[in-house]
Amino acid sequence: MGEEEESVGKFLKWATKLGITDAPLDTLDSEIQTVSSCLGKSLFVSEFPDAGGRGLGATRDLRKHELILRVPKSALMTSESLMLKDQKLSLSIKRYPHLSSTQILSVCLLAEMSKAKGSWWYPYLKQLPRQYETLSTFSHFEIQALQVDDATWAAERAVSKAEMEWNEAIPLMRELELRPQLLTFKSWLWSSATVSSRTLHIPWDSAGCFCPVGDLFNYAAPGMESYSSEEIASWTQTSTLDSSSLEKSASDEELEVEHIDGDSLRLTDAGYEEQVEAYCFYARRRYRKGEQVLLGYGTYTNLELLEHYGFLLNANPNEKVFIQMEQNINFNSWPKDSIYIQHDGKPSFALLSALCLWVTPPKDRKSVGHLAYSGKQLSAENEVSIMKWLRKKCEALLEKLPSSIETDGLLLTSIEKMQNHTSIQEVKKMISACEVEIGNFFESTNSQTFDEVGKFHLSSKARRSIERWKLAVQWRLRTKLHVALPIDPLVGR
């Protein structure tokens, strides 16, 4: 047994003692406590290299909406539970009422890390990632690699916010006498990214909670349930989507229905349930034995996934590209965040309705306004004009960006070769193809080394940077492909 596998085994045994279980509801507590692992009845821990890394698989066939994991309230790590076990922490935090709930949880996490093996939560803390690629961790070079203004602004804002919150929390952390290495901005970035990417919602604390075992589920984007396994497998990136789609028979349909409290149908993936005082997780669809079981965190664009979780999806059904519009186009009836191009390249309902009126002669707008706002096509000519205008707008957006879709594709290939310790000859070819950006990467990380046999090696700093750089290039390439999607001018709503 490897060291990592042994560590996971100890963690699952520890979790069992806390009452965490994937056993059916009718299983006796005495039966649960006698097993060596909290998993095995419904789920198992495994590596899914092409779909998010470590995650949870189905031990057996699972029905849609079936309860598959329970984590008691006593096993949830919250600011409240940590302060109950640490009087000094509790008294100190009360002296800093200006700190937000997320800042407090970040400090609490660092305080537990400072205790090392002395922490009651040590088996769980050992399982947390030691590195994240959320936007707040991006360097200036990596931020600029995003290219699109909305994304660079979001990244700069995330870094600035993290730094401000760290400065505000330093007095509290010093009062708690945390170890010097835990007082650094680097440690704060790790702690705040852990809070951002791993906490689950609870009704009594807006910062959320850490949920041992429950936070092993990888992400499934809402809206992906109906796609085929081949499509989903090809769309997976850094984290995950569903890995299969199954045909349904009449009997299968009956099996999918599970009633909670008599007539109420379970519609959510997970949530804290007061009546059982536990966080409960349900299968979002039917799973066959061996498949990865996924959890929907919510609806996010790729930029939001990158900001809060540190990954993105090759194809995201919730992706949006917001377009800057001329001031003479009246969007007053719609909020700004409803004006965008959808993942399929078509304008959103709000954008289409507003453009319908804009291309209509002013004298006719009042008479057809009710049709535009109800989603009706005013005329084929009207819609063709809209689509031509939108296509021209998208072309202008692409021309404004520093690199083309083709160049970004070559650059991604080069980055992957660099990560795989390529030869000096290949590096020279890559530099000639993407000279400026690769050169800027070497300059920003101060690394460009080759071993005695001419193999390319990266410093630890460069290895961390190259993963974020790769994410930035992937994000901008997917955004450009999104904008470049052909728009059929005769397609209706």
Side-chain angles (χ1 to χ4, degrees), residues 467-487:
E467 188 59 43
R468 295 188 291 267
W469 179 30
K470 181 179 178 180
L471 284 168
V473 177
Q474 286 172 331
W475 181 86
R476 80 193 196 205
L477 175 56
R478 279 144 187 72
T479 299
K480 291 171 187 177
L481 290 169
H482 185 164
V483 173
L485 281 172
I487 302 173

Side-chain angles (χ1 to χ4, degrees), residues 380-416:
E381 293 76 16
N382 179 278
E383 197 128 326
V384 168
S385 297
I386 291 170
M387 297 309 178
K388 284 182 177 178
W389 179 90
L390 193 58
R391 185 182 295 113
K392 186 176 180 181
K393 192 76 177 178
C394 291
E395 288 171 353
L397 191 156
L398 290 173
E399 288 173 3
K400 178 185 173 184
L401 297 175
S403 63
S404 66
I405 290 173
E406 292 74 20
T407 300
D408 286 350
L410 287 172
L411 182 57
L412 272 180
T413 300
S414 299
I415 291 173
E416 289 166 358

Side-chain angles (χ1 to χ4, degrees), residues 65-77:
H65 306 313
E66 180 182 358
L67 177 65
I68 53 176
L69 182 69
R70 284 172 288 150
V71 181
K73 183 177 181 180
S74 57
L76 303 177
M77 182 196 285

Side-chain angles (χ1 to χ4, degrees), residues 84-231:
L84 283 173
K85 293 178 181 291
D86 190 327
Q87 188 176 17
K88 180 181 179 181
L89 179 67
S90 178
L91 292 173
S92 294
I93 285 175
K94 289 176 182 177
R95 287 193 279 272
Y96 296 85
H98 63 285
L99 296 180
S100 69
S101 59
T102 53
Q103 284 174 294
I104 289 171
L105 186 54
S106 296
V107 171
C108 289
L109 178 58
L110 289 172
E112 284 303 305
M113 292 296 292
S114 187
K115 297 174 185 176
K117 293 183 179 180
S119 170
W120 185 80
W121 296 95
Y122 181 70
Y124 172 66
L125 298 176
K126 280 191 67 178
Q127 303 305 311
L128 294 176
R130 290 296 177 259
Q131 184 178 320
Y132 297 94
E133 279 76 42
T134 54
L135 283 186
S136 61
T137 68
F138 276 41
S139 68
H140 176 73
F141 164 75
E142 294 146 14
I143 290 174
Q144 293 308 305
L146 291 163
Q147 294 187 348
V148 181
D149 287 344
D150 287 347
T152 57
W153 291 336
E156 288 168 353
R157 185 177 65 244
V159 173
S160 177
K161 180 173 181 285
E163 191 165 3
M164 179 192 70
E165 292 182 341
W166 169 61
N167 281 319
E168 290 175 346
I170 282 178
L172 171 57
M173 294 192 289
R174 285 178 176 158
E175 183 175 320
L176 292 169
E177 299 178 307
L178 299 189
R179 287 181 286 168
Q181 61 266 40
L182 296 177
L183 295 174
T184 64
F185 184 49
K186 180 180 177 181
S187 291
W188 180 260
L189 284 176
W190 173 84
S191 183
S192 59
T194 303
V195 171
S196 173
S197 64
R198 299 191 74 83
T199 52
L200 300 178
H201 171 74
I202 49 176
W204 65 90
D205 190 338
S206 60
C209 69
F210 293 112
C211 184
V213 183
D215 59 9
L216 290 175
F217 286 103
N218 281 321
Y219 176 69
M224 297 310 301
E225 291 86 349
S226 62
Y227 287 91
S228 70
S229 58
E230 290 79 11
E231 289 174 307

Side-chain angles (χ1 to χ4, degrees), residues 153-436:
W153 291 336
E156 288 168 353
R157 185 177 65 244
V159 173
S160 177
K161 180 173 181 285
E163 191 165 3
M164 179 192 70
E165 292 182 341
W166 169 61
N167 281 319
E168 290 175 346
I170 282 178
L172 171 57
M173 294 192 289
R174 285 178 176 158
E175 183 175 320
L176 292 169
E177 299 178 307
L178 299 189
R179 287 181 286 168
Q181 61 266 40
L182 296 177
L183 295 174
T184 64
F185 184 49
K186 180 180 177 181
S187 291
W188 180 260
L189 284 176
W190 173 84
S191 183
S192 59
T194 303
V195 171
S196 173
S197 64
R198 299 191 74 83
T199 52
L200 300 178
H201 171 74
I202 49 176
W204 65 90
D205 190 338
S206 60
C209 69
F210 293 112
C211 184
V213 183
D215 59 9
L216 290 175
F217 286 103
N218 281 321
Y219 176 69
M224 297 310 301
E225 291 86 349
S226 62
Y227 287 91
S228 70
S229 58
E230 290 79 11
E231 289 174 307
I232 291 171
S234 69
W235 292 342
T236 309
Q237 177 62 48
T238 309
S239 196
T240 107
L241 295 174
D242 263 319
S243 57
S244 79
S245 176
L246 304 171
E247 295 180 0
K248 300 175 184 177
S249 65
S251 59
D252 287 334
E253 290 284 3
E254 292 171 5
L255 285 174
E256 286 189 354
V257 179
E258 177 164 328
H259 292 277
I260 309 296
D261 296 332
D263 298 321
S264 175
L265 184 65
R266 167 61 54 188
L267 296 176
T268 58
D269 289 353
Y272 181 77
E273 298 185 5
E274 195 65 51
Q275 65 272 27
V276 292
E277 295 188 318
Y279 222 99
C280 296
F281 297 80
Y282 298 83
R284 64 185 288 107
R285 64 169 181 80
R286 291 187 302 119
Y287 290 96
R288 296 301 188 196
K289 181 179 179 180
E291 281 190 276
Q292 182 175 192
V293 182
L294 303 160
L295 178 68
Y297 313 154
T299 300
Y300 296 98
T301 65
N302 269 344
L303 185 60
E304 290 167 334
L305 287 173
L306 200 52
E307 179 175 1
H308 301 295
Y309 299 100
F311 69 86
L312 50 79
L313 303 172
N314 276 349
N316 185 344
N318 304 301
E319 186 65 319
K320 302 172 183 177
V321 171
F322 297 94
I323 302 293
Q324 289 287 337
M325 296 299 176
E326 284 80 354
Q327 292 183 352
N328 64 335
I329 302 179
N330 182 16
F331 290 112
N332 293 338
S333 301
W334 306 100
K336 287 184 179 180
D337 61 2
S338 68
I339 307 299
Y340 57 85
I341 298 175
Q342 299 172 161
H343 71 96
D344 56 5
K346 298 176 184 176
S348 66
F349 179 86
L351 174 55
L352 191 57
S353 296
L355 290 174
C356 271
L357 289 179
W358 180 66
V359 300
T360 298
K363 63 183 179 63
D364 298 328
R365 289 175 186 172
K366 187 174 181 180
S367 63
V368 299
H370 66 289
L371 296 175
Y373 289 128
S374 63
K376 299 288 179 61
Q377 185 185 62
L378 303 188
S379 70
E381 293 76 16
N382 179 278
E383 197 128 326
V384 168
S385 297
I386 291 170
M387 297 309 178
K388 284 182 177 178
W389 179 90
L390 193 58
R391 185 182 295 113
K392 186 176 180 181
K393 192 76 177 178
C394 291
E395 288 171 353
L397 191 156
L398 290 173
E399 288 173 3
K400 178 185 173 184
L401 297 175
S403 63
S404 66
I405 290 173
E406 292 74 20
T407 300
D408 286 350
L410 287 172
L411 182 57
L412 272 180
T413 300
S414 299
I415 291 173
E416 289 166 358
K417 287 182 178 179
M418 290 165 66
Q419 288 179 306
N420 295 326
H421 308 299
T422 190
S423 68
I424 188 170
Q425 290 81 9
E426 287 178 313
V427 170
K428 288 179 178 178
K429 290 179 184 177
M430 290 185 289
I431 293 175
S432 64
C434 312
E435 180 177 357
V436 174

